[in-house]
């Protein structure tokens, strides 16, 4: 199973493709340099296979690479960061 996480700025979301099929996304609202993550959704066919975690990990790695910060309003993103404190430094105060 090959996965790819890409930013789709036209839709304000990061998307995960599994074998070239859209398997899920995490939506955000840009607030300057800060992205406020509001909702994460994984297609039912891909749930329970680690796709959600791979999506958030890939998203956070890209936010870090571009020097950005985020606000995890989405409970799934917040829970992922709680379980993976190596990403805690990306969390900004709510704008």
């Amino acid at each position: 199973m090959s996965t790819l996480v890409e930013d789709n700025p036209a839709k304000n979301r990061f998307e995960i493709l599994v074998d070239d099929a859209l398997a899920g996304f995490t939506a955000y609202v840009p607030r300057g340099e800060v992205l406020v993550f509001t909702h994460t959704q994984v297609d039912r066919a891909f749930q329970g296979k680690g796709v959600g975690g791979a999506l958030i990990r890939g998203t956070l790695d890209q936010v870090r690479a571009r020097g950005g910060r985020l606000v995890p309003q989405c409970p799934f993103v917040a829970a992922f960061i709680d379980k993976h404190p190596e990403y805690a430094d990306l969390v900004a105060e709510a704008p």
Side-chain angles (χ1 to χ4, degrees):
M1 176 170 75
S2 70
T3 62
L4 174 67
V5 176
E6 294 182 310
D7 189 7
N8 183 340
K11 292 188 175 182
N12 285 345
R13 67 189 196 179
F14 281 84
E15 300 172 339
I16 187 165
L17 304 174
V18 176
D19 297 330
D20 297 324
L22 179 63
F25 64 87
T26 185
Y28 61 82
V29 177
R31 294 277 184 259
E33 293 298 308
V34 176
L35 299 180
V36 180
F37 284 88
T38 57
H39 178 71
T40 300
Q41 186 171 323
V42 174
D43 186 279
R44 287 190 199 285
F46 296 98
Q47 290 178 0
K49 298 180 180 176
V51 170
L55 166 62
I56 303 307
R57 183 178 303 281
T59 296
L60 296 177
D61 288 344
Q62 289 183 47
V63 169
R64 173 172 279 138
R66 52 172 91 147
R69 306 284 305 277
L70 64 99
V71 175
Q73 282 185 353
C74 167
F76 189 82
V77 175
F80 185 91
I81 292 171
D82 284 345
K83 290 178 188 160
H84 300 89
E86 65 270 24
Y87 292 108
D89 62 307
L90 297 177
V91 176
E93 295 297 317

